[in-house]
């Protein structure tokens, strides 16, 4: 699974720390998600989508090998 969290952060002019504070995780968690080293929980994914006001599929998407 890939994501475009970094793109959404740029659109909303947010740092990793800003996003982490808003959804209640560490900056390191945001960094790991952006590098596709950590797959977020359903709840965390929904929090991110709600914050950016986009559908879940607008942030997270499967690759052919998933």
């Amino acid at each position: 699974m890939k994501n475009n969290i970094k793109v959404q952060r740029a659109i909303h002019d947010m740092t990793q720390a800003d996003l982490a504070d808003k959804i209640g995780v560490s900056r390191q968690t945001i960094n790991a998600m952006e590098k596709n080293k950590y797959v977020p929980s359903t709840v965390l994914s929904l929090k991110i989508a709600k914050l950016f006001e986009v559908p879940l599929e607008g942030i997270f998407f499967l690759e052919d090998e998933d």
Side-chain angles (χ1 to χ4, degrees):
M1 183 171 81
K2 293 228 172 192
N3 68 74
N4 66 6
I5 295 172
K6 187 172 184 177
V7 172
Q8 289 295 324
R9 278 195 310 103
I11 291 169
H12 293 85
D13 193 27
M14 296 176 71
T15 66
Q16 288 183 341
D18 293 336
L19 176 56
D21 286 345
K22 289 186 182 289
I23 61 173
V25 299
S26 70
R27 186 198 57 78
Q28 289 82 5
T29 298
I30 302 301
N31 187 52
M33 285 191 291
E34 288 184 356
K35 292 184 175 188
N36 298 309
K37 293 182 178 178
Y38 174 73
V39 176
S41 69
T42 303
V43 172
L44 185 54
S45 299
L46 289 168
K47 284 182 178 180
I48 294 168
K50 182 177 180 182
L51 178 70
F52 291 139
E53 299 180 336
V54 296
L56 197 60
E57 298 85 2
I59 298 176
F60 300 97
F61 42 93
L62 296 174
E63 296 182 294
D64 290 339
E65 59 270 10
D66 288 334

